[in-house]
Amino acid sequence: MSLLDQFLERLEIQESISFSNSNEVALFDLWKIQISQNKCLTIQEKNAFGVWEEVELSNCHIPLFIESGRVVFDTRHSSNFEEMLDHEHNLLKWKTYFTEAIFKKITTCYDYLNYRRTKITNNKILNFINNKLVSLNLEKFACLVSMLHSFFQDKLFSLKPLSEVFPYVPDKIRISTLLNLTIHSEAIKIYNKFLPNHLAMAKFIHISPELLKVIETSNFLSKSSFAKLILSNIDDQARFDNSDIAFFISCDHLTLQQLSQDKKTFIPWLQFFSKVARNCKFHDIHLLFKEFMKIGLKGCIKNRKYVEAIFSFFQSKSFQNNTSDLSYAIGYSLIFNSMNWNCSYSGNVDRYINNLDCGIDDIRKLDVFRAFMRFENEANYLKAGYSYGSLSKDFVKELLINCHILVGLDCNDTMFSDIGFVLQRVGDSYVLIGSDNQPDRSFYHTIIVGNEVDLSMTKCADYEGYFDEVLRSYAY
């Protein structure tokens, strides 16, 4: 019998997943987790000699699937063929993760004995694992995997403070991470104290014994020192300056969810945005981050001055309480299509921003024109507080905001504004006219469709008279 065969025999591996009772689970007879009724946790792992040892921290890298903040693996049968295929695909994917974790554990034990491990040795270990798993049919294996997920959901995952953190884990979590954080729950409390909005980062953090010890024993004096520790854990080769740390701390959860799509690019994007979007904070800023991430880091770096100008532009819009410009710019891909981002440009930045602003206004004008065409009343009169049949309040509110912006008025509290709007046709053009109901009435206007017209010289454009006529017709 070879050394490898003797080694595998000493491990005495019998079953893939087994439950001796409702409080204990064994995984491939290499890991054993026991959770008593009072939530007392005992972790055992086999050493290189096949002997069970109680350990303080787990190294079990077998994953658990997360769905909607719960540890769950759905085994419900479906008559839908696509759902059946998805279920089988998820099961086979989990089996691959399971096999990889077992292989890592066995080879680590084998290496501990200073045995020479070759490619042939690795293949024999993999064959050994697969032969143990092949004895289970797919249906029985699916039931065991489901029971395993339910075990951890019911015993650990639903408890605080874990329940506050792991809903942010996107699709899976290692059993070792779950167990180690259960034991060191104080680390979660410290994390929540300094970075309560940064739970999305949990998927990137390597929960090692060293990290847990540092978190629990260090006396962090500020958010900055704790944030630097977390960032260094994600990438220990990167160097972070004060602007990187400050930007990371200021990120809201939507921004972090967007930036953390890929661990490899998280730090480079963080460091880039910390410079170009410094001190920028406005509604839906995460959508602008998403737009630039769609363009790509190389293109953004090549045209950094334009990226900075775009952030400053929308920051200034937010000071005017204008949040719709960003929606138009992204919704109609005005930024993405504004240049070939793969090339470096050296044109006038102010001219570029002016063109972007004009492009947004052109779309807004077209939106306003189409909206007025939906009115059932031919008078086409728009004012806060009026009813417009089947048109929703949100639709009317958005239209009022756009009208105020187009004629150069403040878009604050538009639903309580005294300004009313009409749309007048002047030749081949359409003019948006706004006015209040004060005795010394003020008028505002802008061309939204067609060419410019001289309203002061064109007799057919007596917009003051037309406005009064509209009001009278609307009243009756």
Side-chain angles (χ1 to χ4, degrees), residues 169-221:
V169 179
D171 52 7
K172 61 183 182 295
I173 181 176
R174 289 175 173 179
I175 289 177
S176 57
T177 301
L178 180 58
L179 295 176
N180 294 342
L181 283 178
T182 300
I183 297 168
H184 294 266
S185 59
E186 188 64 27
I188 299 178
K189 295 176 183 177
I190 295 172
Y191 189 99
N192 283 340
K193 174 185 176 182
F194 289 102
L195 298 173
N197 297 323
H198 294 58
L199 298 177
M201 293 294 96
K203 60 184 176 182
F204 286 165
I205 301 172
H206 174 52
I207 310 297
S208 64
E210 294 78 17
L211 177 65
L212 293 171
K213 184 177 180 180
V214 170
I215 292 177
E216 293 187 343
T217 59
S218 299
N219 184 20
F220 296 101
L221 300 177

Side-chain angles (χ1 to χ4, degrees), residues 255-273:
T255 295
L256 289 170
Q257 285 178 1
Q258 180 55 48
L259 296 182
S260 62
Q261 297 296 314
D262 185 350
K263 185 176 181 178
K264 291 180 180 179
T265 60
F266 170 69
I267 297 299
W269 275 119
L270 177 78
Q271 294 181 322
F272 176 75
F273 286 135

Side-chain angles (χ1 to χ4, degrees), residues 29-41:
D29 287 325
L30 294 172
W31 301 275
K32 191 184 293 182
I33 299 102
Q34 185 179 44
I35 306 172
S36 64
Q37 294 294 340
N38 60 358
K39 305 304 178 184
C40 182
L41 179 63

Side-chain angles (χ1 to χ4, degrees), residues 39-56:
K39 305 304 178 184
C40 182
L41 179 63
T42 303
I43 306 171
Q44 290 180 293
E45 296 182 3
K46 272 187 183 173
N47 62 21
F49 305 100
V51 178
W52 287 108
E53 290 182 334
E54 188 170 331
V55 295
E56 292 184 4

Side-chain angles (χ1 to χ4, degrees), residues 43-107:
I43 306 171
Q44 290 180 293
E45 296 182 3
K46 272 187 183 173
N47 62 21
F49 305 100
V51 178
W52 287 108
E53 290 182 334
E54 188 170 331
V55 295
E56 292 184 4
L57 293 171
S58 172
N59 67 357
C60 180
H61 291 176
I62 296 170
L64 298 170
F65 286 158
I66 308 295
E67 184 178 324
S68 302
R70 290 177 57 83
V71 177
V72 62
F73 185 83
D74 192 358
T75 58
R76 292 175 297 178
H77 296 288
S78 173
S79 58
N80 184 297
F81 183 68
E82 290 185 2
E83 289 183 2
M84 291 172 64
L85 286 178
D86 286 341
H87 171 71
E88 185 172 339
H89 172 73
N90 288 334
L91 181 61
L92 294 176
K93 183 166 65 172
W94 190 89
K95 186 178 180 181
T96 300
Y97 294 142
F98 187 53
T99 303
E100 290 173 353
I102 295 167
F103 177 78
K104 181 176 177 62
K105 171 66 174 175
I106 291 177
T107 53

Side-chain angles (χ1 to χ4, degrees), residues 9-24:
E9 188 176 89
R10 281 200 307 270
L11 293 179
E12 296 183 339
I13 295 171
Q14 302 296 327
E15 298 183 75
S16 58
I17 303 173
S18 61
F19 297 87
S20 57
N21 56 63
S22 61
N23 295 323
E24 183 178 288

